[in-house]
Amino acid sequence: MTYNQFEEKLEKEDITPCYLFVGEEEFLKQRAVKRLSSLLSARRIIINRENEKELNNTLSQSLAFGRRLILIEDASSFSKENKELLLRYIKNPEESTIILFEKERNPGLEKIVSQNGDVVIFGHLSGKSLILWAKGLFQKEGKEIDESALDTLLNIVGEDPSLLSVEIEKLILFCQEKVMITEEDIIVSSSGGPSKDNFKLFELIKRGDRSAINLCLQLIEGGMSESHILFFLASKIRRAKAQAEVFRLLNETDLSLKREPKVSYTPIILSLILKLMSKR
């Protein structure tokens, strides 16, 4: 099953006695382990090659010790005796214990687990799968976000799921009761500096006030991300001007510094600001 299907089953509190996590998206695996442990209110116990001698004692503990989530790391490296012990336990598990296999190298284990529990596949999040996952985080909190706004969020934050999830949590808190999340919400709440200065910068540009140059340099020197300012300007231009004119402005902007060994967006931003003021 996919990670999303796994999440849906957890929402219904449909929990199996045994899981096998496979795939390359470690962030989602860690998230799933935390969610499962929280839902069970269970202690987490890790058994690996270094402490496998504790396996028999751990599995034989009764319900009196509380619910447990036992993480088995690479059972293929265990002794023959412990491998057989795990196979017997999977077929006749204790009600108080959930077994979760991680970092498993034995392909034959997938069939055994699927007969008694769930095999969850954690595919790498990128492209469409990343977009669907991000949208799902918003929808779980009763929020909606359109494609252009989500594209802006990915441009600002990047495609690292761990960073993206933090920004999405911030956005959800920032928007409070608001259901539809817009590009402006993202620009205001995403990391990069005080939002009011962003809007002040654009207002100065619209008026043709050259103090916009000084404000832009102050924002960058104060730690605001250059890419954040660039994406903010691009999104505001797109709202204020026709698409053809936006592309013409960007094409006329001096991007020559991109050919330098160390890319800097500051001259590009300043060139764009000057071009915008000259087109008033």
Side-chain angles (χ1 to χ4, degrees), residues 10 41 49 72 77 84 146-147 150 172 174 202 252 259 266 279:
L10 290 191
S41 298
R49 187 175 181 179
I72 306 293
S77 65
E84 291 174 351
D146 61 33
E147 294 287 345
L150 186 52
I172 289 167
F174 172 79
F202 196 73
E252 290 173 356
R259 294 193 292 270
T266 302
K279 292 288 182 180

Side-chain angles (χ1 to χ4, degrees), residues 15 17 28 44 49 63 91 93 115 122-123 141 179 204 262:
I15 298 169
L28 287 186
R44 268 188 275 176
R49 187 175 181 179
L63 186 59
K91 294 173 183 177
Q115 292 171 347
F122 294 83
E141 300 297 328
V179 174
L204 291 174
K262 185 179 179 181

Side-chain angles (χ1 to χ4, degrees), residues 15-16 20 22 37 41 48 65 74-75 94 97 102 141 158 161 173 178 192 200 203 208 213 236 238 257-258:
I15 298 169
T16 66
L20 170 61
V22 296
S37 180
S41 298
N48 52 37
F65 288 87
D74 190 15
E94 278 280 338
T97 303
E102 287 192 302
E141 300 297 328
L173 289 172
K178 186 178 179 183
K200 182 180 177 182
E203 287 303 311
I213 299 291
K236 295 297 285 184
R238 190 169 64 190
L257 211 77
K258 280 194 172 182

Side-chain angles (χ1 to χ4, degrees), residues 59-204:
L59 292 178
S60 61
Q61 288 176 355
S62 69
L63 186 59
F65 288 87
R67 301 195 77 177
R68 297 162 303 156
L69 176 62
I70 303 177
L71 278 60
I72 306 293
E73 295 183 346
D74 190 15
S76 62
S77 65
F78 287 11
S79 67
K80 182 181 178 182
E81 181 184 357
N82 279 332
K83 286 178 185 175
E84 291 174 351
L85 175 61
L86 279 170
L87 292 178
R88 289 196 303 272
Y89 190 86
I90 290 171
K91 294 173 183 177
N92 187 28
E94 278 280 338
E95 184 183 343
S96 63
T97 303
I98 305 296
I99 298 283
L100 195 161
F101 291 92
E102 287 192 302
K103 303 175 184 177
E104 189 53 53
R105 299 176 188 176
N106 178 11
L109 187 62
E110 188 169 327
K111 183 178 179 181
I112 298 168
V113 171
S114 64
Q115 292 171 347
N116 301 275
D118 287 332
V119 176
V120 187
I121 301 169
F122 294 83
H124 177 57
L125 288 176
S126 63
K128 188 176 180 181
S129 65
L130 182 68
I131 289 170
L132 289 173
W133 172 74
K135 280 187 171 181
L137 294 183
F138 285 111
Q139 289 166 356
K140 281 178 185 175
E141 300 297 328
K143 307 290 185 187
E144 294 294 333
I145 184 168
D146 61 33
E147 294 287 345
S148 61
L150 186 52
D151 188 53
T152 299
L153 179 63
L154 291 171
N155 282 331
I156 292 173
V157 179
E159 296 192 353
D160 182 327
S162 59
L163 295 177
L164 193 56
S165 67
V166 170
E167 289 299 331
I168 289 173
E169 286 174 10
K170 282 170 57 180
L171 261 172
I172 289 167
L173 289 172
F174 172 79
C175 291
Q176 298 180 9
E177 301 301 317
K178 186 178 179 183
V179 174
M180 179 57 70
I181 293 173
T182 65
E183 284 181 284
E184 276 197 5
D185 295 325
I186 290 164
I187 292 163
V188 169
S189 72
S190 294
S191 56
S195 59
K196 63 180 182 181
D197 290 330
N198 285 22
F199 289 100
K200 182 180 177 182
L201 175 63
F202 196 73
E203 287 303 311
L204 291 174

Side-chain angles (χ1 to χ4, degrees), residues 12-29:
K12 300 172 185 174
E13 297 191 12
D14 182 1
I15 298 169
T16 66
C18 180
Y19 293 93
L20 170 61
F21 285 0
V22 296
E24 53 188 310
E25 194 56 74
E26 291 300 321
F27 168 73
L28 287 186
K29 287 182 187 176

